[in-house]
């Protein structure tokens, strides 16, 4: 993927800091990567995608994450949208929507609501059938990339179960409001989305029928967790590179910082955090590529280990750089803010711990 990485490097260049401070990635950057099929590179070639294996898609995601977590967050949303279409869409929806998502249309996915965060069984958004149309009413919060999106994949209650419905962001009754000043991933386009009696063709419901809500959530979130996990490996790689270079080059008390054993320990722990996160992600990717039944739990483990390691690794990197990294847009300062958010989303640390413990107990009984 050398050419694809080079394209990302040329587009991001030294801009990640500027985008972070401005709270916006230029639309042409997202369109260029989207048109190249690189925002959801796992989509099969038959649908216009790159058809990357999970392992290659993961390494590519880590590369983007090492350069700009906001851009990687947009990729995660696009990839999750594409995966949801791939798994729940009928043939015609897959043909149409995947072609759009690999040719420059941007998408965001909405589960969370004001009263439904960790507990998504509490979602209230309603998708109501009326003849050959459906009407969507609800309120979604913190939808990553919604400020950029042409299509909003909205999860709601439908037909006695649940469904994901594809809502054009331009539809009547849709209101998108940017989240002001998020702690991190500031250019990821997070938004609140209000849907007020949005009327759409019935064919907007993926698969056309009600699904089980837990199945819908587990499937879509599995991709989100996979992508966030690999993105966190990228954060760790950027932190390690920055901390190692600084510790090698700055001298205090007559020796390079790396010559002070307490600083060297920070570097050693950063190496360990990056390697363990990468190994957990590589295992999760193998499970995806082999369609292993361990896929869901391996992905939860990868997400948990990588987010936790990235948050503590970024804190170590800030410690090693000290005042040299204590500036808002600096790579380690951004990592420190961005990584913390990764411990909250796609299943917070606590929710991942509960899932891992549940799995352990089920295995023991
Ligand atoms: P709460 O659920 O209120 O939890 C608060 C705290 O209590 C957390 O520490 C949590 O771990 C803990 N907690 C809650 N329940 C339990 C429990 N049963 N056991 C133990 N601890 C518990 N949503 C989308 O739908 N689409 C997106 O694209 C999206 N992107 C996001 C991007 C960012 C940067 C952020 C911050 C959020 C995003 N979200 C998105 C929302 C995100 O999924 C929720 O923030 C997350 O699920 C946590 O919900 P909450 O914030 O309401 O916290």
């Amino acid at each position: 993927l050398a050419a694809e990485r080079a394209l990302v490097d040329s587009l991001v260049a030294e801009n990640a800091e500027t985008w972070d401070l401005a709270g916006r990635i230029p639309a042409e950057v997202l369109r260029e990567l989207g048109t190249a099929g690189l925002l959801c590179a796992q989509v099969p070639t038959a649908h216009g995608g790159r058809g990357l294996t999970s392992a290659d898609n993961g390494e590519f995601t880590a590369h983007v994450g090492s350069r700009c977590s906001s851009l990687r967050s947009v990729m995660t949303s696009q990839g999750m949208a594409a995966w949801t279409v791939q798994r729940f869409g009928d043939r015609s929806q897959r043909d149409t929507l995947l072609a759009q998502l690999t040719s420059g249309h941007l998408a965001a996915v909405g589960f969370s609501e004001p009263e439904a965060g960790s507990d998504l069984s509490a979602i209230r958004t309603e998708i109501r059938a009326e003849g050959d149309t459906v009407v969507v009413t609800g309120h979604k919060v913190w939808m990553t990339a919604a400020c950029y999106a042409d299509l909003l994949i909205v999860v709601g209650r439908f037909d006695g179960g649940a469904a994901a419905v594809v809502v054009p962001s331009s539809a009547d009754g849709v209101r998108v409001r940017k989240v002001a000043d998020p702690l991190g991933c500031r250019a990821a386009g997070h938004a609140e989305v209000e849907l007020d009696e949005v009327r759409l063709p019935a064919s907007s419901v993926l698969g056309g029928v009600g699904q089980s809500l837990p199945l819908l959530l587990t499937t879509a979130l599995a991709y989100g967790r996979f992508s966030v996990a690999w993105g966190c490996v990228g954060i760790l790689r950027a932190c390690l590179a920055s901390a190692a270079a600084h510790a090698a080059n700055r001298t205090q008390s007559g020796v390079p910082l790396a010559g002070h054993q307490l600083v060297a320990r920070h570097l050693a722990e950063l190496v360990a955090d990056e390697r363990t996160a990468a190994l957990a992600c590589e295992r999760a990717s193998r499970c995806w590529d082999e369609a292993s039944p361990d896929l869901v739990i391996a992905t939860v483990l990868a997400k948990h280990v990588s987010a936790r390691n990235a948050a503590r690794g970024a804190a170590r990197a800030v410690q090693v750089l000290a005042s040299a990294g204590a500036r808002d847009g600096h790579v380690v300062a951004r990592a420190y803010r961005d990584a913390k958010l990764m411990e909250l989303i796609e299943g917070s640390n606590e929710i991942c711990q509960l899932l891992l413990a549940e799995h352990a107990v089920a295995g023991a009984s």
Side-chain angles (χ1 to χ4, degrees), residues 210-284:
Q211 318 274 352
S212 127
L213 180 63
L215 177 69
L216 193 55
L217 297 174
T218 306
T219 305
L221 284 176
Y223 186 91
R225 287 172 179 153
F226 155 84
S227 182
V228 166
W230 274 106
C232 286
V233 171
I235 290 178
L236 282 160
R237 289 177 182 166
C239 285
L240 180 56
S242 183
H246 187 73
N249 293 321
R250 178 167 167 84
T251 297
Q252 284 294 282
S253 307
V255 289
L257 290 176
H260 296 292
Q261 289 183 338
L262 292 178
V263 177
R265 185 181 63 178
H266 286 310
L267 298 180
E269 293 297 343
L270 259 168
V271 171
D273 279 345
E274 185 278 328
R275 274 296 79 207
T276 46
L279 286 170
C281 286
E282 284 160 17
R283 174 160 179 273

Side-chain angles (χ1 to χ4, degrees), residues 181-194:
D181 306 320
L183 171 67
C185 299
R186 289 175 175 168
H190 308 113
E192 259 190 65
V193 175
E194 285 183 57

